[in-house]
Amino acid sequence: MGSRFDIRNEGGAALIIALGVMSILVIIGITVTAISMNSTKTVARDIRLTEAQNIAEGGVEDTIEVTLNNYDDVFPGGVIPDPSYQGDGMPFYDGAQPAYDAQGNQIGEYQVWTKEDPDRPGNVLITSKGTTIGGDPDSSTVRVSVKFTARIFDYALLVGDPNQSYSSDSHSHADCTPGMEMKTEDGGAIEITGNVHVNGCMYVDSDNGSHGDPGTISFLSRDGYADTVTYLDSFNGSVLGNQPTQTDTPVEFPTVDFDAFVNTITVNLPSSGTPSGSGWSRNGDKFEISGSDFEALYGSYDAVKFTAADNSKFKIEISGSGDMDNPDVITTTILIPASDGSDPAIKELELKGSGLSVQPANGIAFVSAEGELELEDGVVVGEPGAGALIYATGQGHEGEFEMEEGAIVYGSVVVSSPEVELKAEGPDGDGNSHEGRSLDGNINIIYDGAYLSEMPSGWWSGGSITAIKENFERD
């Protein structure tokens, strides 16, 4: 009796344990299923949100493309919808635009609004809302601050206007006009950091001169960028770093409205005597002034505009009276508009001296429509984090651009010219000393687009446009 009773009790205990285990397994199963279903829903929603964000970003890209192709129609006169415009701005399209996948199937739609970015004056704030389609749609909104600007301003160095008819230049070693010629000797070095393009030919020459080391010519990329060096017609020579490649796409130049600059003083170079104000001297057709006197006379203006009688062919020389550690600083923009004569009114603007630094408050160092611009003897234009623009427009008479003996530019050099010459003579020759000043003989152009946010509006129009994204936010 006792034995059978014990067996029956043990069997009942096993059944209870089995039922308990089964209950636990059922609970675990239900829990796992619920978690799995919830996870599936979460993953599905994440997928839809990602898809909605991709649709919104696609709306931004479409808006940028439409604007680049129709800039003057989208923003007549460069006028952007006011930053105080209600909500996200003015609707860019008449209604929601369909979005398609690679197979042509509609996957959603996007709506876009634009206005001037209140945090980045001059930029267009593009707000795009992407929405998926289907039984359980989701939406995502992205905001991108875009600067629409002349494409030439996104280059460290750009040479030659494709719409100009240049006369042949017998002084250039390049195979065509316009041409860019770069030359080093006696251990000198030329370094250009950023995008480079020549609407013509490139010629480079590293010569040993009369002493040993021939020097180097290098094209470099900025950190985090894959900058390119391109030309339209031909390339001769050997360089370090980025290798030049041929392209069939020219870069069009914008035109400049010299009258669009405000707070400007016009300085007319007289047929006899000197301009009013202390510091000016004259030697024949050359007008001379120190950087310190120039700043004292014109530093309170945003720009100084030089004019002269037609065909005068005058020269202006601004020289540094300081030193590299304590230079004369010029803060105003120098403008040379086109004259109407058969020859230029201003033939040459020369800046010289390691004690001269050009740091324009509005980011534009020089804009000229005629004559030659020369930077020599260690002149510095711009500085890291405060780049400046040099733009020789070619709207008047043909001109030239030259850099020699230790000159440095932070920013962008854009030259419509039959000839651009960069010449670096190193310390192995006589280029290490000029008029008593010690020079390293190197030439540097380093792209620094900080000037883009400083430029006044409305002074240029037309030409090839580019879009620079400066900020991205997602709701």
Side-chain angles (χ1 to χ4, degrees):
M1 288 288 293
S3 177
R4 288 195 297 272
F5 178 79
D6 291 340
I7 292 174
R8 284 196 300 269
N9 277 306
E10 289 176 3
L15 179 59
I16 292 172
I17 293 172
L19 290 172
V21 170
M22 289 179 64
S23 298
I24 293 172
L25 292 175
V26 169
I27 293 171
I28 292 174
I30 293 172
T31 302
V32 170
T33 300
I35 293 174
S36 178
M37 292 176 64
N38 186 62
S39 178
T40 300
K41 290 181 179 179
T42 301
V43 170
R45 186 166 192 274
D46 287 344
I47 292 173
R48 291 195 305 273
L49 285 174
T50 300
E51 192 172 65
Q53 181 179 339
N54 292 337
I55 293 171
E57 292 179 14
V60 171
E61 296 301 323
D62 287 350
T63 301
I64 290 174
E65 182 178 359
V66 170
T67 302
L68 290 176
N69 292 331
N70 307 274
Y71 183 81
D72 291 333
D73 293 329
V74 174
F75 301 127
V79 177
I80 306 168
D82 192 275
S84 62
Y85 198 97
Q86 61 183 1
D88 291 318
M90 182 180 296
F92 190 83
Y93 299 103
D94 291 337
Q97 302 296 298
Y100 302 95
D101 61 17
Q103 289 71 44
N105 302 311
Q106 184 176 353
I107 56 174
E109 61 184 26
Y110 57 83
Q111 296 173 283
V112 178
W113 301 265
T114 61
K115 67 178 181 180
E116 185 176 6
D117 190 339
D119 297 322
R120 293 172 175 79
N123 281 22
V124 178
L125 180 62
I126 300 176
T127 300
S128 178
K129 179 180 179 181
T131 304
T132 61
I133 58 175
D136 194 10
D138 269 301
S139 297
S140 181
T141 300
V142 298
R143 292 179 174 84
V144 182
S145 184
V146 179
K147 181 178 293 297
F148 289 99
T149 189
R151 186 179 170 192
I152 61 168
F153 299 156
D154 200 29
Y155 285 83
L157 176 63
L158 195 146
V159 174
D161 185 342
N163 294 321
Q164 290 281 353
S165 296
Y166 297 106
S167 60
S168 177
D169 192 330
S170 60
H171 299 293
S172 176
H173 292 87
D175 292 335
C176 70
T177 302
M180 181 177 74
E181 183 175 354
M182 306 172 67
K183 183 179 179 63
T184 63
E185 59 183 39
D186 301 320
I190 298 175
E191 284 190 359
I192 302 179
T193 303
N195 291 309
V196 176
H197 176 73
V198 179
N199 283 314
C201 303
M202 299 178 63
Y203 175 84
V204 299
D205 179 23
S206 295
D207 185 4
N208 62 10
S210 58
H211 307 271
D213 187 358
T216 59
I217 297 173
S218 305
F219 293 113
L220 307 176
S221 289
R222 295 162 289 169
D223 290 342
Y225 289 81
D227 291 318
T228 60
V229 181
T230 53
Y231 59 90
L232 286 184
D233 292 295
S234 66
F235 167 72
N236 289 297
S238 177
V239 299
L240 302 176
N242 299 329
Q243 296 302 302
T245 59
Q246 190 171 24
T247 179
D248 58 1
T249 305
V251 180
E252 308 285 343
F253 277 44
T255 58
V256 172
D257 180 1
F258 286 85
D259 294 328
F261 290 84
V262 297
N263 189 28
T264 300
I265 182 172
T266 297
V267 178
N268 186 66
L269 303 181
S271 58
S272 63
T274 60
S276 61
S278 62
W280 281 105
S281 63
R282 181 169 184 168
N283 182 8
D285 289 337
K286 180 188 287 188
F287 295 83
E288 301 175 353
I289 190 170
S290 71
S292 58
D293 286 335
F294 188 94
E295 179 68 11
L297 287 173
Y298 311 122
S300 62
Y301 296 94
D302 293 336
V304 54
K305 183 189 300 182
F306 284 103
T307 61
D310 291 342
N311 306 319
S312 295
K313 297 190 288 189
F314 287 148
K315 299 180 180 179
I316 303 171
E317 181 182 288
I318 305 174
S319 57
S321 57
D323 56 45
M324 288 183 289
D325 296 325
N326 187 29
D328 297 332
V329 178
I330 295 176
T331 60
T332 186
T333 296
I334 298 177
L335 304 174
I336 301 178
S339 58
D340 295 328
S342 57
D343 288 317
I346 312 296
K347 182 180 179 180
E348 183 179 313
L349 172 62
E350 180 182 5
L351 286 86
K352 57 190 301 183
S354 56
L356 184 60
S357 180
V358 183
Q359 308 295 333
N362 66 3
I364 305 174
F366 312 100
V367 183
S368 65
E370 63 179 24
E372 179 179 0
L373 174 62
E374 295 185 16
L375 305 179
E376 297 184 357
D377 306 342
V379 168
V380 176
V381 178
E383 61 184 350
L389 173 67
I390 298 173
Y391 184 20
T393 70
Q395 290 173 216
H397 300 281
E398 290 182 359
E400 297 179 4
F401 175 77
E402 293 188 9
M403 286 182 68
E404 296 184 0
E405 298 172 334
I408 302 175
V409 172
Y410 297 94
S412 185
V413 177
V414 182
V415 185
S416 172
S417 169
E419 178 184 4
V420 171
E421 182 179 4
L422 310 182
K423 183 179 179 181
E425 183 178 356
D428 292 340
D430 61 3
N432 61 329
S433 180
H434 189 81
E435 298 183 359
R437 290 183 292 273
S438 178
L439 302 169
D440 63 13
N442 299 331
I443 289 174
N444 289 275
I445 301 177
I446 303 135
Y447 182 80
D448 186 322
Y451 69 91
L452 290 171
S453 61
E454 303 295 333
M455 294 191 299
S457 61
W459 68 276
W460 63 268
S461 62
S464 301
I465 308 295
T466 191
I468 302 173
K469 298 177 184 177
E470 296 187 341
N471 192 41
F472 176 89
E473 295 179 356
R474 173 189 171 188
D475 285 353

